[in-house]
Amino acid sequence: YGNFIDDLRLYVRGGSGGMGYPRLGGEGGRGGDVWLVARERTTLKSIRDRYPHQRFVAGTGANSSVRALKGEKGKDCEVHVPLGISVLCDDGKQIGELNAAGERFLAARGGLGGSLATNFLPCRGQRRIVRLDLKLIADVGLVGFPNAGKSSLLSKISHAKPEIANYAFTTIQPELGKIMYADYKQISVADLPGLIEGAHANKGMGHKFLKHVERTKQLLLVVDISGFQLSTKTRFRTAFETILLLTKELELYKEELLTKPALLAINKMDLPCAKDNLNELMKQLQNPQDFLHLLQEEMSPANILEFKDIIPISTYTGEGIEELKACIRKSIDEEAEQENEEYRKKKLLLLQTSE
């Protein structure tokens, strides 16, 4: 999975409280807390490199004394984490989420200082192991089987420079790129490791790939017009079958993924017979229900993805790339406008009910 890390376990411990002062009823300071703080330009790899032991302990509260009957609070410990982090307990239960820069999550609370209630003895801080699970946040997620041309497409539409080669598994780690438009609008695109049949059951990159799709606003399916075959042991799949299988993998992992707006890029239009294959594929996409018999029943998705746009492209010749960028922009803008409209309606409704 390369140098990219999307999962990290940390030991966090709040500071112990300070001692109380029984003779004068003094109260020890509370122990410091451990906070997770979302920061841009931070990676889980940088946390691991900087803190190889992955232990974070907050400061101890000050003891109560004749000079200061109320001891000072211990020093808080802040851990800077990337955006798009889910915080999980050691048993896998989600306890928090950090999606925007500056958001904070209390990972371990400091112990109380010694006081009359505790017989002037301090309490220990909370200690636990938390798991940081990263899901990339991007406007558009590229979805496709290996060798469909996702990395080539990302390098054409953005300034990202992923490794590209002519064999099935090239992308072993997610790549993020930004499409830059003439009016300085930027749209982030994530190229994610190639799906294979059975990814929902964690085959191949399985869940490592699929979890990153959850945080993208839209899907861009990239399909090879000439079809796809992973190896000599697996069956050859046509472009239409590929679309159905991709839909099935998304559906089995999490059905909500199919509610995201989706675009379809049909790649490798420079190949011979591409035009004939495209005509046949468009016919099949107009009435997909009539062609579900091409796949075994258990491999057919219950719901068919509806595409906002279907764009034939060639990353080799550059055909259709500008049109695709325009479609992505239009689709993102439409969604943003819809969200704004819903937000305005909610505000209006709140105002009316408060009156």
Side-chain angles (χ1 to χ4, degrees), residues 85-88 93-98 105:
I85 283 283
S86 295
V87 188
L88 311 170
K93 187 181 167 208
Q94 186 170 320
I95 51 175
E97 226 174 32
L98 297 162
F105 174 76

Side-chain angles (χ1 to χ4, degrees), residues 67-297:
R67 287 183 186 165
L69 286 176
K70 176 99 171 120
E72 275 193 28
K73 184 178 185 288
K75 193 179 178 194
D76 285 350
C77 171
E78 286 194 352
V79 187
H80 294 151
V81 299
L83 277 59
I85 283 283
S86 295
V87 188
L88 311 170
C89 279
D90 215 21
D91 61 1
K93 187 181 167 208
Q94 186 170 320
I95 51 175
E97 226 174 32
L98 297 162
N99 293 324
E103 281 187 4
R104 296 163 69 84
F105 174 76
L106 181 60
R109 194 182 291 281
L112 292 172
S115 65
L116 186 63
T118 63
N119 206 14
F120 298 100
L121 294 172
C123 300
R124 284 183 172 183
Q126 183 184 11
R127 60 174 76 194
R128 61 179 168 187
I129 287 170
V130 293
R131 220 178 82 220
L132 305 184
D133 194 27
L134 175 70
K135 293 173 186 171
L136 287 179
I137 297 177
D139 296 314
V140 180
L142 299 183
V143 179
F145 283 135
N147 222 14
K150 300 191 303 298
S151 298
S152 305
L153 177 60
L154 187 69
S155 66
K156 280 276 187 212
I157 60 178
S158 75
H159 297 297
K161 293 186 169 52
E163 282 185 44
I164 297 163
N166 188 27
Y167 49 87
F169 279 103
T170 318
T171 308
I172 54 165
Q173 62 184 49
E175 293 275 354
L176 268 176
K178 275 194 164 68
I179 310 177
M180 313 286 276
Y181 291 91
D183 61 352
Y184 302 107
K185 164 91 173 174
Q186 295 182 10
I187 289 175
S188 56
V189 181
D191 168 27
L192 305 151
L195 269 173
I196 60 168
E197 284 178 42
H200 68 277
N202 217 8
K203 283 188 189 171
M205 291 289 176
H207 294 176
K208 276 187 185 294
F209 161 82
L210 286 161
K211 71 172 187 180
H212 291 298
V213 183
E214 289 180 54
R215 290 281 174 94
T216 55
K217 291 177 187 168
Q218 306 206 355
L219 306 178
L220 173 58
L221 268 70
V222 185
V223 171
D224 184 337
I225 188 62
S226 56
F228 169 70
Q229 187 172 17
L230 184 65
S231 69
T232 48
K233 293 175 185 172
T234 57
R235 285 183 60 179
F236 172 79
R237 303 293 186 190
T238 63
F240 178 68
E241 288 173 345
T242 304
I243 293 165
L244 292 183
L245 286 167
L246 285 171
T247 308
K248 183 70 173 174
E249 290 303 329
L250 295 172
E251 181 182 84
L252 287 172
Y253 177 70
K254 203 168 258 189
E255 226 169 297
E256 300 92 86
L257 294 178
L258 299 188
T259 60
K260 290 180 185 284
L263 300 170
L264 175 63
I266 300 165
N267 193 17
K268 306 193 182 179
M269 286 305 295
D270 52 284
L271 296 176
C273 303
K275 290 275 188 289
D276 297 338
N277 288 345
L278 179 66
N279 291 337
E280 192 177 335
L281 176 61
M282 295 307 274
K283 248 187 268 172
Q284 290 168 326
L285 286 173
Q286 275 170 356
N287 298 300
Q289 300 294 343
D290 301 346
F291 297 94
L292 289 179
H293 64 273
L294 295 171
L295 277 177
Q296 292 162 359
E297 199 175 320

